Amino acid sequence: QGRLVESGGGSVESGESLTLTCAASVTIGNYAMGWFRQTPGKAREGVAAISNVGTTIYYADSVKGRFTISRDNANKLVYLQMNMLKPEDTGLYVCARDYASQRRDWSRDDVYAYWGRGTQVTVSS
């Protein structure tokens, strides 16, 4: 059983919405959480991050205004609401737990201690 398990991916058409969930079996309340996406042949890309209590949030420019990250520390859950999906949003979406409660350089791979295995999102035009 993984420490972070993602769910909610699927195949949708352009313009539709999906909500991803990351369920943790490790403590997350003191740590920032992030969502990343991976596509073949491309570097892993940071999509969004949220500080330990949700007061600071970051988004990649490519998803601003369309995606919303949120968290429920009591139930050890992190969400990524994705609206107005585009074909270029296609990828394996992975959640990760930071070493710190928040940071500005949130999109760096090496600042995350735990990673999930991901959930696939495919958007067709």
Side-chain angles (χ1 to χ4, degrees):
Q1 184 72 26
R3 291 166 174 170
L4 300 174
V5 180
E6 302 90 341
S7 62
S11 296
V12 296
E13 295 187 353
S14 184
E16 294 185 336
S17 299
L18 282 172
T19 299
L20 307 183
T21 300
C22 174
S25 60
V26 293
T27 300
I28 66 167
N30 296 326
Y31 303 96
M33 298 292 295
W35 282 99
F36 289 74
R37 65 186 174 200
Q38 301 173 195
T39 53
K42 293 179 67 175
R44 182 157 54 191
E45 175 190 14
V47 174
I50 185 168
S51 63
N52 61 326
V53 293
T55 52
T56 302
I57 290 175
Y58 298 101
Y59 295 102
D61 288 343
S62 59
V63 307
K64 280 181 183 176
R66 300 187 299 121
F67 289 13
T68 302
I69 188 171
S70 61
R71 63 190 298 159
D72 174 358
N73 286 343
N75 292 299
K76 296 184 179 180
L77 297 170
V78 183
Y79 304 102
L80 186 67
Q81 172 69 41
M82 306 186 296
N83 297 326
M84 297 182 287
L85 283 162
K86 304 176 181 180
E88 51 264 43
D89 294 320
T90 293
L92 182 70
Y93 283 71
V94 182
C95 74
R97 197 197 83 173
D98 200 324
Y99 285 105
S101 60
Q102 69 174 56
R103 67 173 73 246
R104 289 188 175 184
D105 52 348
W106 61 275
S107 62
R108 286 173 45 191
D109 282 10
D110 61 345
V111 303
Y112 290 88
Y114 297 112
W115 294 85
R117 293 188 176 182
T119 184
Q120 180 67 33
V121 172
T122 302
V123 185
S124 58
S125 58

